[in-house]
Amino acid sequence: MWAALAPLLAGQPRVRLSRDGGKSYPQKYERDLTEGLPTFPAAVRIFGKDGTCRAIFLDFDSSVAGIDWVEADVRAVQSWLHRCGARWIEDFSPNGGRHVYIPLEERVTFSDARDLVEALGNKYRSLDKTPHQNLHHGCIRTPGARHRSGGHQELAMSLNLAYDVAKRPNTSTIWQAMTADLAEEIAAVKALRLERPFAQPTAADTAAATAPGRMSRAMEQLARTGLYDANRYGTDSEARQAVLVAAAAAGLSLTDVQRRLLQGNWPGLASFYARYRAGHRSKSLQRDWVKALRYIQKSHGDKQADSNARKSPTSAPPTQAGGIQGVSVSSHPDAEHRFIRTWRNALQFREQRYKESREGLGRRMVLRALGEAAHMSASRFVEFGSRSIAVATGMDHTTVQLHLKAIRAEKDALATLVEQGRGTKADLYMLTIPDDIKAAAEDMSWRKGKIHALRPVFRELGIPAALVYEALEHSPAALRSVDLVRTTRLSRTAVTEALEILAAWNLVTRSKTLQWTIVATTSLKELAEQLGVLEAVARQLRKYVQDRIIWREWLSKRAHTAAELLSPDDDYPWHLYEGPPEEWTLSHLAFA
């Protein structure tokens, strides 16, 4: 069943596995869809890279109102489909749930499919609308897939009949009949969408839009998800034009936009063009792009402000990086960099003590973040606070504080607390090389390349995948799995799973001699954009900016004297903001 039907129903040849027994289907466990039945519960992607789907998936959940209610809703939907002249495939789950699949001859857009499913969901209580409400994460199990309660999705009809329905899907005439029959319900869904409040762009989003080469987060989210404020944009055409205007204003070119559409980074914007024929979509995009450029020229005139112009004869141009405040920089940066690279060798020795646990992996990332900060400031003295390190490691700042406390409490620690933070100053750490491994670290050759904490894409793919990728990145030759186990200090199981994840996203490839190498053509930044990780980084940065504002306001109201500044009163909510916030140089440099 899986091999026959899954490829014909999926919106794109990708499938997500559930390693926790069917409770969740994380994006990092996404794989290419093959004919072989996965050993884990698996769900196919509903929407393709162009933001369209080739079938409507109706998921009737027995946990909402019981099996009897599911049976009644399924019979009602079947009667409606029969009146419209549609053909469908039906299966059932071991727990009593039902799936109804409606294959379509012509792919339909995300907004049209969502409207239809939401209209049906308002009529039938047990129908789960969420799979069709998310472009990136909408997925569902198809016939033959394993179920979390044991067993598989079983067809309620013969395989021959189901295969015939999938091979001869419903025509566009039948789709029009379905939408016409639900015209009132679809209109009610759209009217309800007009009444619902929509998240307005924050001040940080507006400020980000003014940065060259960056769109506002609201526009990026619209391009990715296809969801927009119906009170602001009346149609899909208006929404897509707003995205193109924002992209042009941010300095992107038409080629940049086309690349994001073809690679699937902006399926929401692609879905707005799905109503055109395949050969006309590119021409329509070009016409809209010309309109966007004309709109910008009309709004801003022909004046081209020089971004490198100085405001005064003594001011530095804005493209020049500002100095890092509060960090002691050695007068001999080359000597400091040599020390930092030797410290990195010491870190390789000491990483053996950390076990393959969440605490051990997190501690390794925090130490790498300290090394990254030291390279940025060209000094062994690091004064980047816990929130800045949290952005670099993908953790919460309270978790970073616990790791820092444990690191400095270790015997022969690699980082020593020199001075505690005061006011707006962060804790000052000094990188140290323990005496017992100093000679070995100095004799060891320096490692080429940059030291990274946790690059954004690996927030989704996981720390083990980051360590395996880094080992391959720094290796002059291809490595076998056993070499990766020795280099990364991870277990064979963790390395194998990490390689599977990296290979699924075309980051690594295996040769015939069972050796692994990096796929140089796959960009980590573009993949992070595709996975939506940059949005999570931006949310974390915005949250910490607000924390910093709160802290500065508290200081300005209560810190009247030096004594009060050093010892704030007890009324400050330390359970929310433990320790003074920090300067944001590390996070800005790492994720700008």
Side-chain angles (χ1 to χ4, degrees):
M1 288 186 291
W2 173 271
L5 299 177
L8 298 178
L9 296 175
Q12 59 176 298
R14 301 284 285 179
V15 61
R16 291 188 181 180
L17 306 181
S18 176
R19 297 295 181 93
D20 56 4
K23 296 179 181 179
S24 62
Y25 295 85
Q27 192 172 19
K28 70 176 181 179
Y29 293 135
E30 188 172 304
R31 304 285 189 273
D32 288 333
L33 178 60
T34 61
E35 294 183 355
L37 178 65
T39 57
F40 299 94
V44 301
R45 291 282 301 273
I46 293 179
F47 295 99
K49 292 182 178 181
D50 59 350
T52 64
C53 61
R54 64 192 306 177
I56 300 297
F57 298 81
L58 304 181
D59 181 9
F60 296 90
D61 192 353
S62 60
S63 63
V64 175
I67 299 178
D68 293 339
W69 206 301
V70 168
E71 295 289 343
D73 286 347
V74 170
R75 285 196 296 268
V77 169
Q78 288 175 344
S79 299
W80 170 71
L81 290 173
H82 181 72
R83 291 198 307 271
C84 295
R87 308 172 72 212
W88 67 90
I89 301 172
E90 180 187 353
D91 69 0
F92 57 88
S93 307
N95 63 352
R98 291 291 186 102
H99 290 171
V100 175
Y101 313 91
I102 310 172
L104 301 173
E105 187 177 62
E106 295 184 4
R107 301 175 70 100
V108 297
T109 64
F110 163 69
S111 57
D112 291 341
R114 181 188 58 172
D115 289 343
L116 179 77
V117 174
E118 287 184 351
L120 290 173
N122 291 340
K123 294 183 62 176
Y124 306 109
R125 180 180 177 183
S126 63
L127 178 58
D128 184 7
K129 299 175 287 186
T130 55
H132 274 275
Q133 291 177 326
N134 197 306
L135 263 175
H136 279 277
H137 304 292
C139 56
I140 196 170
R141 296 185 307 275
T142 54
R146 299 181 186 274
H147 194 268
R148 65 180 180 180
S149 62
H152 301 75
Q153 294 288 136
E154 298 291 343
L155 280 172
M157 56 181 64
S158 67
L159 179 59
N160 289 336
L161 178 58
Y163 185 76
D164 180 71
V165 173
K167 292 294 290 184
R168 295 191 298 119
N170 298 286
T171 63
S172 58
T173 304
I174 295 177
W175 169 257
Q176 293 172 3
M178 294 166 57
T179 54
D181 192 74
L182 291 176
E184 295 183 1
E185 289 81 358
I186 292 177
V189 166
K190 293 182 177 179
L192 179 62
R193 197 172 296 140
L194 288 172
E195 298 176 1
R196 291 177 179 173
F198 195 85
Q200 297 297 328
T202 62
D205 293 331
T206 305
T210 62
R214 289 186 59 188
M215 294 170 55
S216 68
R217 292 296 171 184
M219 288 294 101
E220 286 186 0
Q221 186 176 10
L222 198 162
R224 290 181 58 250
T225 65
L227 301 176
Y228 57 86
D229 187 356
N231 293 296
R232 186 173 185 181
Y233 306 112
T235 62
D236 291 353
S237 300
E238 295 180 12
R240 81 187 185 203
Q241 194 65 34
V243 174
L244 294 181
V245 170
L252 298 180
S253 65
L254 178 59
T255 303
D256 296 329
V257 175
Q258 291 174 330
R259 176 180 59 80
R260 285 167 168 80
L261 293 178
L262 294 176
Q263 292 181 347
N265 294 346
W266 287 357
L269 180 61
S271 68
F272 296 151
Y273 286 96
R275 63 184 72 251
Y276 298 103
R277 294 181 180 179
H280 295 168
R281 294 173 187 173
S282 178
K283 295 181 180 178
S284 178
L285 174 61
Q286 293 176 7
R287 289 196 302 268
D288 292 343
W289 184 255
V290 172
K291 294 179 182 178
L293 294 179
R294 289 176 180 173
Y295 177 82
I296 294 175
Q297 292 176 357
K298 182 179 180 181
S299 300
H300 301 281
D302 296 329
K303 296 180 181 180
Q304 298 294 334
D306 185 8
S307 60
N308 293 329
R310 304 189 181 190
K311 297 181 181 179
S312 66
T314 58
S315 64
T319 55
Q320 182 176 351
I324 301 175
Q325 302 294 331
V327 179
S328 175
V329 181
S330 171
S331 58
H332 302 286
D334 292 340
E336 284 296 288
H337 278 300
R338 287 197 294 268
F339 173 85
I340 295 169
R341 291 193 177 276
T342 305
W343 179 87
R344 289 174 58 180
N345 293 341
L347 176 61
Q348 285 187 265
F349 285 108
R350 276 301 170 82
E351 282 185 333
Q352 299 177 4
R353 68 164 57 174
Y354 298 118
K355 298 180 180 179
E356 189 185 321
S357 61
R358 179 176 297 181
E359 291 77 11
L361 294 176
R363 210 150 295 169
R364 293 173 69 173
M365 287 297 112
V366 170
L367 285 171
R368 288 163 181 262
L370 292 176
E372 183 180 13
H375 270 305
M376 289 179 179
S377 58
S379 172
R380 71 189 71 184
F381 295 95
V382 178
E383 197 181 10
F384 296 100
S386 58
R387 286 173 175 80
S388 184
I389 296 176
V391 176
T393 57
M395 305 177 188
D396 185 76
H397 70 281
T398 57
T399 305
V400 170
Q401 291 168 1
L402 293 176
H403 285 311
L404 289 173
K405 183 178 180 180
I407 288 172
R408 63 177 182 253
E410 292 177 353
K411 183 180 179 181
D412 298 330
L414 291 172
T416 304
L417 179 63
V418 177
E419 182 180 354
Q420 289 187 346
R422 291 293 185 270
T424 58
K425 297 293 185 180
D427 292 339
L428 179 63
Y429 283 89
M430 181 180 67
L431 303 185
T432 57
I433 302 177
D435 295 335
D436 57 338
I437 59 175
K438 185 174 183 180
E442 291 176 348
D443 293 339
M444 185 178 177
S445 59
W446 290 337
R447 205 171 191 179
K448 295 181 179 180
K450 299 180 181 179
I451 181 173
H452 298 282
L454 190 69
R455 284 171 280 192
V457 67
F458 294 109
R459 287 189 175 205
E460 179 68 28
L461 304 184
I463 295 179
L467 297 175
V468 171
Y469 187 88
E470 183 186 74
L472 292 172
E473 189 177 31
H474 290 156
S475 175
L479 297 176
R480 299 174 299 169
S481 298
V482 63
D483 300 326
L484 291 171
V485 171
R486 182 178 62 256
T487 304
T488 60
R489 276 89 177 181
L490 298 174
S491 66
R492 178 177 289 274
T493 302
V495 170
T496 301
E497 181 177 330
L499 289 171
E500 290 178 358
I501 294 174
L502 294 172
W505 293 101
N506 198 33
L507 289 172
V508 299
T509 183
R510 186 173 61 174
S511 64
K512 295 181 180 180
T513 57
L514 304 182
Q515 291 181 322
W516 295 89
T517 56
I518 286 180
V519 179
T521 56
T522 304
S523 170
L524 294 181
K525 183 178 180 180
E526 293 178 1
L527 182 57
E529 182 181 3
Q530 181 179 346
L531 297 178
V533 183
L534 299 182
E535 178 66 25
V537 177
R539 285 197 302 267
Q540 189 177 16
L541 279 172
R542 289 197 297 267
K543 177 183 181 300
Y544 290 162
V545 167
Q546 293 299 321
D547 289 354
R548 184 172 179 79
I549 293 174
I550 294 174
W551 171 249
R552 285 183 179 273
E553 290 179 353
W554 185 90
L555 281 179
S556 63
K557 293 178 181 178
R558 293 168 175 81
H560 301 293
T561 65
E564 292 183 3
L565 175 61
L566 297 178
S567 301
D569 298 332
D570 294 333
D571 61 346
Y572 180 73
W574 294 102
H575 63 285
L576 295 179
Y577 311 104
E578 298 181 8
E582 65 293 321
E583 298 299 331
W584 299 95
T585 309
L586 174 60
S587 56
H588 282 166
L589 289 176
F591 300 103

